[in-house]
Short mmCIF file of all heavy atoms in Angstrom, two decimals:
data_model
loop_
_atom_site.label_atom_id
_atom_site.label_comp_id
_atom_site.label_asym_id
_atom_site.label_seq_id
_atom_site.Cartn_x
_atom_site.Cartn_y
_atom_site.Cartn_z
N HIS A 20 -0.99 5.50 -14.70
CA HIS A 20 -2.09 6.44 -14.93
C HIS A 20 -2.03 7.16 -16.26
O HIS A 20 -3.07 7.34 -16.96
CB HIS A 20 -2.23 7.41 -13.79
CG HIS A 20 -2.79 6.79 -12.49
ND1 HIS A 20 -4.10 6.59 -12.30
CD2 HIS A 20 -2.18 6.35 -11.36
CE1 HIS A 20 -4.32 6.05 -11.13
NE2 HIS A 20 -3.16 5.90 -10.52
N PHE A 58 -4.26 13.64 -6.22
CA PHE A 58 -2.88 13.11 -6.09
C PHE A 58 -2.88 11.86 -5.21
O PHE A 58 -3.77 11.65 -4.35
CB PHE A 58 -1.88 14.12 -5.61
CG PHE A 58 -2.21 14.75 -4.26
CD1 PHE A 58 -1.61 14.25 -3.10
CD2 PHE A 58 -3.00 15.84 -4.14
CE1 PHE A 58 -1.83 14.87 -1.86
CE2 PHE A 58 -3.27 16.47 -2.93
CZ PHE A 58 -2.67 15.98 -1.79
N ASN A 59 -1.89 10.98 -5.42
CA ASN A 59 -1.60 9.85 -4.62
C ASN A 59 -0.58 10.21 -3.58
O ASN A 59 0.25 11.10 -3.82
CB ASN A 59 -1.11 8.69 -5.43
CG ASN A 59 -2.16 7.87 -6.15
OD1 ASN A 59 -1.99 7.43 -7.29
ND2 ASN A 59 -3.34 7.73 -5.53
N ASN A 86 -4.10 7.57 1.06
CA ASN A 86 -3.19 7.40 -0.05
C ASN A 86 -3.73 8.03 -1.35
O ASN A 86 -3.03 8.06 -2.36
CB ASN A 86 -2.90 5.91 -0.29
CG ASN A 86 -4.06 5.20 -0.98
OD1 ASN A 86 -5.20 5.42 -0.70
ND2 ASN A 86 -3.70 4.33 -1.94
N THR A 87 -4.97 8.50 -1.28
CA THR A 87 -5.59 9.14 -2.49
C THR A 87 -6.32 10.38 -2.08
O THR A 87 -7.11 10.39 -1.10
CB THR A 87 -6.57 8.14 -3.13
OG1 THR A 87 -5.88 6.99 -3.55
CG2 THR A 87 -7.22 8.77 -4.32
N VAL A 88 -6.06 11.47 -2.77
CA VAL A 88 -6.73 12.72 -2.52
C VAL A 88 -7.45 13.23 -3.76
O VAL A 88 -6.91 13.25 -4.84
CB VAL A 88 -5.72 13.78 -2.01
CG1 VAL A 88 -6.46 15.14 -1.79
CG2 VAL A 88 -5.00 13.38 -0.78
N VAL A 89 -8.75 13.52 -3.56
CA VAL A 89 -9.54 14.10 -4.67
C VAL A 89 -9.70 15.60 -4.37
O VAL A 89 -10.08 15.99 -3.24
CB VAL A 89 -10.92 13.42 -4.72
CG1 VAL A 89 -11.77 14.09 -5.79
CG2 VAL A 89 -10.79 11.92 -5.01
N THR A 100 -7.27 3.69 -0.41
CA THR A 100 -7.60 2.59 -1.30
C THR A 100 -6.57 1.44 -1.12
O THR A 100 -6.65 0.42 -1.78
CB THR A 100 -7.61 2.99 -2.77
OG1 THR A 100 -6.28 3.37 -3.16
CG2 THR A 100 -8.56 4.12 -2.98
N VAL A 245 -1.74 -2.18 -8.43
CA VAL A 245 -2.68 -2.05 -9.51
C VAL A 245 -4.09 -1.78 -9.00
O VAL A 245 -4.78 -0.85 -9.45
CB VAL A 245 -2.66 -3.32 -10.40
CG1 VAL A 245 -3.89 -3.36 -11.32
CG2 VAL A 245 -1.42 -3.36 -11.22
N TYR A 246 -4.53 -2.53 -8.01
CA TYR A 246 -5.92 -2.37 -7.52
C TYR A 246 -6.11 -1.07 -6.77
O TYR A 246 -7.15 -0.41 -6.89
CB TYR A 246 -6.35 -3.56 -6.70
CG TYR A 246 -6.74 -4.74 -7.55
CD1 TYR A 246 -6.09 -5.93 -7.54
CD2 TYR A 246 -7.91 -4.64 -8.34
CE1 TYR A 246 -6.45 -7.03 -8.31
CE2 TYR A 246 -8.29 -5.77 -9.11
CZ TYR A 246 -7.59 -6.93 -9.11
OH TYR A 246 -7.96 -8.00 -9.89
N GLN A 247 -5.14 -0.67 -5.92
CA GLN A 247 -5.28 0.60 -5.22
C GLN A 247 -5.30 1.76 -6.25
O GLN A 247 -5.99 2.72 -6.07
CB GLN A 247 -4.25 0.81 -4.16
CG GLN A 247 -2.77 0.90 -4.63
CD GLN A 247 -2.41 2.31 -5.16
OE1 GLN A 247 -3.03 3.29 -4.79
NE2 GLN A 247 -1.40 2.33 -6.02
N GLY A 248 -4.47 1.59 -7.32
CA GLY A 248 -4.46 2.61 -8.37
C GLY A 248 -5.74 2.68 -9.15
O GLY A 248 -6.21 3.75 -9.53
N ALA A 249 -6.35 1.50 -9.39
CA ALA A 249 -7.59 1.44 -10.09
C ALA A 249 -8.75 2.11 -9.27
O ALA A 249 -9.60 2.81 -9.81
CB ALA A 249 -8.01 -0.02 -10.38
N LEU A 250 -8.72 1.87 -7.98
CA LEU A 250 -9.70 2.51 -7.09
C LEU A 250 -9.50 4.03 -7.00
O LEU A 250 -10.49 4.77 -6.94
CB LEU A 250 -9.64 1.88 -5.69
CG LEU A 250 -10.10 0.40 -5.61
CD1 LEU A 250 -9.65 -0.24 -4.31
CD2 LEU A 250 -11.61 0.30 -5.76
N ALA A 251 -8.22 4.49 -7.03
CA ALA A 251 -7.93 5.89 -7.05
C ALA A 251 -8.44 6.49 -8.36
O ALA A 251 -9.03 7.57 -8.41
CB ALA A 251 -6.43 6.15 -6.87
N PHE A 252 -8.14 5.85 -9.48
CA PHE A 252 -8.56 6.27 -10.83
C PHE A 252 -10.10 6.40 -10.83
O PHE A 252 -10.65 7.40 -11.37
CB PHE A 252 -8.12 5.29 -11.84
CG PHE A 252 -8.49 5.67 -13.26
CD1 PHE A 252 -7.54 6.34 -14.06
CD2 PHE A 252 -9.67 5.33 -13.83
CE1 PHE A 252 -7.89 6.71 -15.38
CE2 PHE A 252 -10.01 5.68 -15.11
CZ PHE A 252 -9.08 6.34 -15.91
N GLU A 253 -10.78 5.48 -10.24
CA GLU A 253 -12.26 5.52 -10.17
C GLU A 253 -12.74 6.73 -9.37
O GLU A 253 -13.72 7.41 -9.77
CB GLU A 253 -12.78 4.24 -9.52
CG GLU A 253 -14.30 4.14 -9.52
CD GLU A 253 -14.81 2.84 -8.90
OE1 GLU A 253 -14.14 2.35 -7.97
OE2 GLU A 253 -15.80 2.30 -9.37
N ARG A 254 -12.04 7.05 -8.30
CA ARG A 254 -12.37 8.28 -7.53
C ARG A 254 -12.25 9.55 -8.36
O ARG A 254 -13.01 10.50 -8.28
CB ARG A 254 -11.50 8.37 -6.31
CG ARG A 254 -11.71 7.27 -5.24
CD ARG A 254 -12.99 7.53 -4.46
NE ARG A 254 -13.15 6.57 -3.44
CZ ARG A 254 -14.27 6.42 -2.73
NH1 ARG A 254 -15.31 7.18 -2.97
NH2 ARG A 254 -14.39 5.51 -1.80
N TRP A 255 -11.15 9.57 -9.20
CA TRP A 255 -10.84 10.78 -9.95
C TRP A 255 -11.71 10.87 -11.23
O TRP A 255 -12.10 11.97 -11.62
CB TRP A 255 -9.39 10.75 -10.39
CG TRP A 255 -8.40 10.91 -9.24
CD1 TRP A 255 -8.62 11.60 -8.07
CD2 TRP A 255 -7.13 10.38 -9.20
NE1 TRP A 255 -7.52 11.49 -7.32
CE2 TRP A 255 -6.54 10.77 -7.94
CE3 TRP A 255 -6.27 9.65 -10.07
CZ2 TRP A 255 -5.24 10.44 -7.51
CZ3 TRP A 255 -4.99 9.29 -9.63
CH2 TRP A 255 -4.50 9.66 -8.41
N GLN A 256 -11.97 9.73 -11.91
CA GLN A 256 -12.62 9.78 -13.22
C GLN A 256 -14.08 9.27 -13.23
O GLN A 256 -14.75 9.48 -14.25
CB GLN A 256 -11.76 8.94 -14.23
CG GLN A 256 -10.29 9.28 -14.24
CD GLN A 256 -10.04 10.75 -14.62
OE1 GLN A 256 -10.84 11.42 -15.29
NE2 GLN A 256 -8.92 11.33 -14.17
N GLY A 257 -14.47 8.58 -12.21
CA GLY A 257 -15.87 8.14 -12.17
C GLY A 257 -16.18 6.80 -12.76
O GLY A 257 -17.31 6.38 -12.84
N PHE A 259 -14.30 2.52 -13.27
CA PHE A 259 -13.26 1.59 -12.91
C PHE A 259 -12.50 1.19 -14.16
O PHE A 259 -13.12 0.74 -15.11
CB PHE A 259 -13.82 0.34 -12.20
CG PHE A 259 -12.83 -0.48 -11.47
CD1 PHE A 259 -12.38 -0.13 -10.22
CD2 PHE A 259 -12.32 -1.66 -12.06
CE1 PHE A 259 -11.44 -0.89 -9.54
CE2 PHE A 259 -11.35 -2.41 -11.39
CZ PHE A 259 -10.97 -2.03 -10.09
#
Side-chain angles (χ1 to χ4, degrees):
H20 285 282
F58 59 97
N59 281 143
N86 78 319
T87 299
V88 178
V89 177
T100 67
V245 165
Y246 279 115
Q247 64 80 24
L250 293 164
F252 183 94
E253 185 179 34
R254 293 286 185 190
W255 294 329
Q256 308 301 333
F259 195 81

